[in-house]
Amino acid sequence: MPSLFRRKPEEPEASVAVSEPETSATRKGYTPSKEELGVKTPKRVIAGRRVAEPPAANRKEAVRKMREKQRQERLEAREGMANGEDRFLLARDKGPVRRLVRDIVDSRRTIGTFFFGTTFLVMIVGFNRSLDPSIYIAANALFFVMLLATLVDGFMISRSVKKLVKQRFPDAKDKMGSLYLYAVMRSISFRFIRNPKPQVKIGQPI
């Protein structure tokens, strides 16, 4: 018969579950860092940091190409202006009406082209005090004759401009006074220095 006073066998101690501390990945509301995810953060560009300049050889080549391009553009603009292309012309020369006025002047011989030559000759005579007084009188008379002839020629050119502009461009908004002045100023300049260059020959019908 078993003894009532026998010591009961020791029961195994309940294993205490030791919970490991929560890892950073299991904490509530935790966001893993980029380092943990294996993502590298790109380096931030510091404001004011100088950008690496190209080597001297490349920089010189870039400057040379830019200057060459600018030179080509200037040559193209100069040639286009001389040929009367509207996109290269100054505001005073643009438009079909102004082109017509230039053709009217360029299609005829103008007395104004000889006016400056006469003026230059009179100035030379005036500076030479050793000449006979009659030469001074003749030089001055020639100057006034050429001046009068230039005015008459300018008047005739203005009449032609008015007639042809009214006939071909009845709705033109250009002021006639401005066109007259434009025609006269072109008529008194030498043909070879006119810009845009003459596009018609002398005597060619307009």
Side-chain angles (χ1 to χ4, degrees):
M1 181 175 181
S3 174
L4 295 175
F5 300 98
R6 181 180 292 180
R7 190 176 180 182
K8 293 181 179 181
E10 295 181 359
E11 295 180 358
E13 294 181 3
S15 59
V16 179
V18 179
S19 60
E20 295 180 1
E22 291 181 340
T23 60
S24 59
T26 59
R27 287 201 299 268
K28 187 178 180 180
Y30 174 78
T31 303
S33 65
K34 292 184 178 181
E35 183 178 357
E36 293 174 348
L37 296 177
V39 179
K40 293 185 178 180
T41 304
K43 294 183 179 180
R44 181 180 300 174
V45 178
I46 301 175
R49 178 180 291 177
R50 295 183 62 186
V51 181
E53 296 182 357
N58 293 345
R59 187 166 60 249
K60 289 181 180 180
E61 181 67 15
V63 172
R64 187 190 66 79
K65 289 183 178 180
M66 182 183 66
R67 291 179 177 175
E68 180 66 20
K69 181 179 179 181
Q70 291 176 346
R71 189 180 70 86
Q72 292 294 338
E73 290 176 351
R74 286 195 299 268
L75 291 176
E76 183 182 0
R78 188 181 304 171
E79 185 177 355
M81 181 181 292
N83 294 332
E85 298 181 25
D86 260 10
R87 64 193 181 102
F88 295 112
L89 295 179
L90 301 176
R92 66 175 186 180
D93 299 318
K94 288 184 176 180
V97 177
R98 299 281 172 150
R99 178 183 291 273
L100 174 61
V101 173
R102 291 197 298 271
D103 290 344
I104 293 172
V105 176
D106 296 336
S107 65
R108 56 191 299 166
R109 297 185 186 276
T110 58
I111 299 176
T113 54
F114 303 100
F115 176 71
F116 286 110
T118 303
T119 303
F120 182 70
L121 178 62
V122 171
M123 289 177 60
I124 293 177
V125 172
F127 287 131
N128 193 343
R129 299 297 180 182
S130 62
L131 297 177
D132 189 270
S134 59
I135 298 179
Y136 294 111
I137 297 174
N140 290 329
L142 177 61
F143 172 79
F144 285 110
V145 168
M146 290 298 299
L147 177 61
L148 179 61
T150 301
L151 294 176
V152 173
D153 190 45
F155 175 75
M156 299 300 295
I157 292 175
S158 299
R159 287 188 58 183
S160 299
V161 168
K162 181 179 180 179
K163 178 182 177 181
L164 290 178
V165 169
K166 291 293 185 182
Q167 178 182 346
R168 301 186 186 183
F169 301 98
D171 299 328
K173 297 181 180 180
D174 300 69
K175 295 181 179 180
M176 296 307 299
S178 176
L179 296 180
Y180 297 158
L181 180 62
Y182 183 69
V184 170
M185 294 303 296
R186 189 171 178 86
S187 68
I188 63 178
S189 61
F190 294 105
R191 186 179 179 87
F192 64 88
I193 64 173
R194 292 174 184 173
N195 195 24
K197 292 182 179 179
Q199 302 298 311
V200 296
K201 297 181 179 179
I202 295 177
Q204 180 177 338
I206 303 301

